[in-house]
Amino acid sequence: VQDGSLIPRFGRARRDETLAVLEGFHPLKHALRFGAEVLEVACRDTRELDALAESLAPDVRERMCELAQAVDPAVFDKLVPLPPTTGVVSLARRPAVDVVAAISDSREAPVVVLENPRDLGNMGACVRVAAAADAAAVITTGSHDPWHPDALRGGAGLHFALAVARAPDLREPADRARDYARELIALDPDGEDLEPSRLPARAMLAFGSERDGASEELLARADRRVRIPMRAGVSSLNLATSVAAVLFAWRLSGPARG
Ligand SMILES: C[S@@+](CC[C@H](N)C(=O)[O-])C[C@H]1O[C@@H](n2cnc3c(N)ncnc32)[C@H](O)[C@@H]1O
């Protein structure tokens, strides 16, 4: 691909639901590590990329360097709105993720549902911690795409490590929770206190949106509501922080999870 044609190619990719735009080194590293089909790697300087790969990702260095194409700095700066300081941007194919298949996953691992999240960086941070805790899936509702480049950046590309999908609304995941014997637990500052040992491995853990919290529909459908106890006077935790607290409360309370 010629340097000049990369600009429209990256521009179109941002609107293409079959592609993922990876801004920076870490999203590319995780994409390669977790088996993504990477189509394009454009960098400012192949030697700098090689040095980064050698120190931070020797396991995928060879593949990264095979794919890397050095482009004119003036072109590189126009590939994405905020060129990353690591000097590399890439395109990968998004895996086709089926919401029902993700929920029916038979592993002893929870599914995270984010109800109408509004902040793309927050969505990415939720994916990142869900991948770290080895959750089965992150399912979002609402208009924001969890595979948006900003969410991929916030998630360091860990979208490729677990199922990440958007459902049209809460009905689909909530109905499927019942079909696949997952207890639907709403995280809500007005719920009962979190007892980590009472979090089932196959729970569906549902979190409300940043401003409005859990919807009436979520609270009505939930089997129970759980709160993360906080110091008096603090009204709530940030969305991604609360996902992290609950997933790691679950992970650290059960049998050793590797
Ligand atoms: C930023 S909070 C929403 C705050 C919102 N104003 C409210 O009153 O719920 C986003 C989501 O994080 C979760 N969350 C935050 N703090 C929590 C806590 N202490 N206990 C349980 N869930 C919490 C909830 O799912 C909440 O809907």
Side-chain angles (χ1 to χ4, degrees), residues 187-189 206-214 226-230 235-239 242:
L187 277 298
D188 176 38
F207 298 80
S209 76
E210 291 91 336
R211 178 171 298 179
D212 300 324
V226 166
R227 76 185 281 268
I228 305 159
M230 296 180 301
S235 47
S236 71
L237 292 167
N238 157 276
L239 173 60
S242 60

Side-chain angles (χ1 to χ4, degrees), residues 166-188:
R166 177 160 49 141
D169 51 42
L170 186 67
R171 201 162 21 135
E172 166 113 77
D175 285 350
R176 299 304 171 188
R178 200 172 333 105
D179 295 348
Y180 292 100
R182 290 186 183 273
E183 188 179 2
L184 177 56
I185 300 178
L187 277 298
D188 176 38

Side-chain angles (χ1 to χ4, degrees), residues 110-117 126 129 138-141 170 184-188 204-210 213-215 218 226 228 237-247:
V111 166
V112 171
V113 172
L114 305 177
E115 202 187 22
N116 195 21
C126 293
V129 74
V138 174
I139 294 166
T140 65
T141 69
L170 186 67
L184 177 56
I185 300 178
L187 277 298
D188 176 38
M204 180 176 282
L205 303 167
F207 298 80
S209 76
E210 291 91 336
S215 69
L218 170 57
V226 166
I228 305 159
L237 292 167
N238 157 276
L239 173 60
T241 307
S242 60
V243 173
V246 176
L247 284 179

Side-chain angles (χ1 to χ4, degrees), residues 2-31:
Q2 293 299 303
D3 273 20
S5 67
L6 281 174
I7 298 171
R9 182 155 159 72
F10 271 80
R12 282 194 304 273
R14 298 183 87 75
R15 298 181 295 279
D16 185 337
E17 294 208 340
T18 68
L19 295 177
V21 179
L22 308 173
E23 300 177 351
F25 182 83
H26 297 288
L28 172 61
K29 171 188 74 179
H30 284 131

Side-chain angles (χ1 to χ4, degrees), residues 7 49-50 64 79 98 103 108 124 148 162 181 219 235-236 240 254:
I7 298 171
L49 181 64
D50 188 29
M64 198 180 281
L79 296 180
D98 179 323
I103 294 170
E108 294 284 291
H148 185 285
L162 77 173
L219 296 178
S235 47
S236 71

Side-chain angles (χ1 to χ4, degrees), residues 48-61:
E48 273 178 26
L49 181 64
D50 188 29
L52 267 183
E54 186 179 10
S55 66
L56 299 175
D59 56 320
V60 293
R61 175 185 173 199

